[in-house]
Amino acid sequence: KQMVLSREVYSHIQISTEEISKYYEAHKQDFDRPEEVRIREILITTEGKKDFDMGALQKRAQEVLQKAKTGDKFEELAVKYSDGPTAKEGGELGFFPKGKMVKEIEEVAFTLRRGQVSDIIKTKYGLVIIKVEEKHEAGIQKMDVVMNEIRDRLFSEKAQPAIKAYLVKLRQKSY
């Protein structure tokens, strides 16, 4: 179904830069956001571990950090090494505004730039390495920051009528 829709409907939907610009100007207040970051994590849990395990866990975290800093894909490292609940999703935690994360992680996350990987952060849950995927400054976002989001919104608005029109055309042809 998706392949047919993609070929017959979605490929014909065009969204111009002018449309994006008009949408942005008309809906600027929709893009007023608090300062927030989207991060991925690799968690090496220390909860319930004995003191003699800490050296091995620290060494494992150091090895993972080294791989992350030398260019290995962070998502793949998270799947392979993370003990966290988000490991299967590549460590994806989503967006967090200030004040909503563990204090130790928040302090580091808001000082890093987009694409940067942190050093090992010690928390009560374990040893954490984070990567900042996106960062939004507080206030109304610039158009180039939200351009893809606007394109997705416009695409969704145009896709529904286009799908209906395509189905009507198929029904007419079927007789």
Side-chain angles (χ1 to χ4, degrees):
K1 175 183 167 186
Q2 288 303 319
M3 285 176 52
V4 170
L5 287 176
S6 181
R7 186 180 64 229
E8 300 295 328
V9 179
Y10 301 153
S11 64
H12 302 292
I13 296 175
Q14 301 294 321
I15 298 168
S16 69
T17 309
E18 185 180 313
E19 285 177 283
I20 292 171
S21 184
K22 282 181 184 175
Y23 185 92
Y24 177 75
E25 291 302 322
H27 298 90
K28 249 185 184 170
Q29 293 307 312
D30 292 356
F31 305 106
D32 187 5
R33 298 186 175 136
E35 185 177 10
E36 60 185 359
V37 292
R38 182 168 67 90
I39 60 173
R40 291 184 184 273
E41 73 164 354
I42 297 172
L43 168 67
I44 296 172
T45 188
T46 57
E47 285 186 302
K49 305 281 177 144
K50 303 281 188 235
D51 285 340
F52 57 84
D53 291 337
M54 290 302 169
L57 294 172
Q58 184 74 34
K59 184 178 179 199
R60 181 175 162 210
Q62 200 62 49
E63 288 171 7
V64 173
L65 177 63
Q66 193 60 38
K67 288 180 182 187
K69 294 228 178 188
T70 56
D72 286 17
K73 287 194 175 203
F74 198 88
E75 304 86 75
E76 293 171 5
L77 292 172
V79 169
K80 191 172 180 180
Y81 297 104
S82 183
D83 300 325
T86 60
K88 287 187 222 106
E89 294 86 36
E92 176 70 45
L93 288 173
F95 277 101
F96 285 94
K98 273 195 168 177
K100 298 291 183 187
M101 286 189 278
V102 174
K103 185 176 168 272
E104 298 90 348
I105 295 175
E106 183 174 296
E107 288 173 359
V108 174
F110 282 96
T111 59
L112 294 175
R113 290 186 314 274
R114 182 179 181 188
Q116 278 190 308
V117 176
S118 73
D119 288 327
I120 298 167
I121 306 165
K122 291 182 178 159
T123 69
K124 64 182 181 181
Y125 306 106
L127 306 171
V128 180
I129 302 166
I130 63 169
K131 179 181 180 186
V132 173
E133 293 289 327
E134 283 184 68
K135 196 170 190 178
H136 295 155
E137 300 299 324
I140 295 176
Q141 304 300 300
K142 292 184 178 107
M143 189 172 93
D144 59 324
V145 171
V146 293
M147 191 173 243
N148 288 335
E149 186 178 334
I150 294 171
R151 184 175 281 119
D152 291 345
R153 287 183 187 185
L154 291 172
F155 186 85
S156 294
E157 286 176 10
K158 289 182 173 188
Q160 291 307 317
I163 291 170
K164 286 180 182 174
Y166 178 66
L167 291 175
V168 166
K169 185 173 110 182
L170 284 179
R171 282 190 198 104
Q172 289 170 346
K173 283 184 174 182
S174 70
Y175 296 108

